[in-house]
Amino acid sequence: MKKTIPFLLCIFMMFLLCSAAFAEGAEESPAQYENAGTLFQHWMENAGNGQSPYPAYVCGVWSTDGTEKNLTIAVTKDEAGEAGKAEILAAIADKSTVTFTYQAYPFAELWALQQTLQERMGEETGVYGVGVYESENCVMISIDEENPNAEAFMHECFERYGDRVRFEAGSGAYVMIEDIGITLPGMGADRGLAASPWFWAAFAGILLLAALLMLRQRKLAATHAGAGTAALHSSARITTRREAEAAVREAELTPPPALDAAILEAADERAKP
């Protein structure tokens, strides 16, 4: 019995030491990257040739404030995206340099679509440029809208790829799926109205028309006022007080009280026998 107690104490001490060692090894490893910018550089430097540089859950990356240090990283809105956010936060020391948002399409998907569309550039489609717009979460296609094949190609792309694609015409205007008149499932009929440049052009036209009508009304009012003044200063004889009052009312003006009194007094004098 005397030997059993020291033996149990030794076992207990060994257990405590092993537990402490295990806990120390289980501590969070130090962050690999100083900030979001250095993580981004790592992604770029280790990207495979012709492959997406980002993890599968990343939709896009862009600068938050114009610097290379503070970045906004868009992730998919699912479990993979949430796990990716935790992975990114664990990898960077200065966590204040990263801002997260959600987007619909992973960058790898848009990157592959870009490669496909680049193969169709040329006169047969009117396309002369293709690129992924990460903050817009789409593939932007530069197209010559005067090319006779351009409209058919835009319809084809919108029907096949939906809002994953957007067109930039040679004039600099964007052409989106709503502008073509194609409605995808889940898209309200009014979604593309406010986004379309034609909506704002029509709205501006209405405002201009309203301004012109207001200006015309002011000119008409000024014309009537001039006519009233002329009538007030007419050389026609006013023989009775009633005629004087009618003349003042028809002038549609508000003359000074002294002038009003003078006119009425003159009418009374002329009405005396």
Side-chain angles (χ1 to χ4, degrees):
M1 184 66 181
K2 293 181 180 180
K3 294 182 178 181
T4 303
I5 295 176
F7 176 75
L8 292 176
L9 289 175
C10 290
I11 296 297
F12 181 69
M13 293 297 296
M14 291 176 63
F15 176 76
L16 291 178
L17 291 173
C18 291
S19 299
F22 178 79
E24 184 178 354
E27 288 182 359
E28 183 179 351
S29 59
Q32 298 173 266
Y33 309 101
E34 181 182 355
N35 51 53
T38 54
L39 172 61
F40 175 79
Q41 291 299 325
H42 169 75
W43 284 343
M44 294 295 106
E45 293 169 0
N46 291 273
N49 186 23
Q51 301 296 321
S52 167
Y54 306 136
Y57 55 79
V58 173
C59 300
V61 181
W62 57 91
S63 175
T64 305
D65 56 3
T67 67
E68 298 179 358
K69 176 183 176 182
N70 300 310
L71 302 180
T72 296
I73 301 179
V75 300
T76 55
K77 197 171 185 179
D78 52 20
E79 292 183 2
E82 295 302 324
K85 288 168 58 177
E87 180 180 327
I88 291 171
L89 288 172
I92 59 177
D94 188 352
K95 295 171 176 45
S96 67
T97 60
V98 62
T99 301
F100 290 106
T101 188
Y102 296 101
Q103 288 181 336
Y105 307 116
F107 181 85
E109 180 181 337
L110 298 179
W111 180 266
L113 178 56
Q114 172 190 268
Q115 309 304 311
T116 300
L117 293 172
Q118 282 179 340
E119 297 175 358
R120 302 192 61 182
M121 292 173 55
E123 288 295 325
E124 294 182 357
T125 58
V127 174
Y128 58 86
V130 182
V132 178
Y133 275 34
E134 300 185 41
S135 61
E136 302 291 336
N137 198 218
C138 70
V139 175
M140 187 67 70
I141 306 170
S142 299
I143 194 167
D144 177 10
E145 70 270 33
E146 296 182 0
N147 186 296
N149 302 316
E151 184 174 355
F153 181 72
M154 286 192 290
H155 273 279
E156 176 189 342
C157 287
F158 284 137
E159 290 176 354
R160 179 174 298 181
Y161 306 119
D163 58 358
R164 292 173 178 82
V165 297
R166 188 181 301 181
F167 287 86
E168 182 179 22
S171 60
Y174 288 167
V175 182
M176 302 169 64
I177 186 170
E178 298 92 333
D179 304 321
I180 294 293
I182 299 175
T183 302
L184 295 177
M187 289 174 54
D190 61 342
R191 174 182 168 183
L193 184 60
S196 171
W198 300 110
F199 169 81
W200 296 111
F203 183 69
I206 293 173
L207 291 179
L208 178 61
L209 179 61
L212 291 174
L213 290 175
M214 291 178 62
L215 181 61
R216 183 173 181 273
Q217 290 295 332
R218 289 185 178 182
K219 288 184 177 180
L220 289 175
T223 302
H224 288 307
T229 303
L232 192 62
H233 290 83
S234 173
S235 58
R237 291 173 59 88
I238 298 177
T239 58
T240 67
R241 182 184 182 91
R242 182 175 299 174
E243 290 178 356
E245 292 174 346
V248 172
R249 285 195 301 270
E250 291 174 358
E252 297 183 352
L253 295 175
T254 306
L259 180 60
D260 195 356
I263 293 174
L264 296 177
E265 184 179 353
D268 289 339
E269 290 294 331
R270 291 179 179 274
K272 290 180 180 180

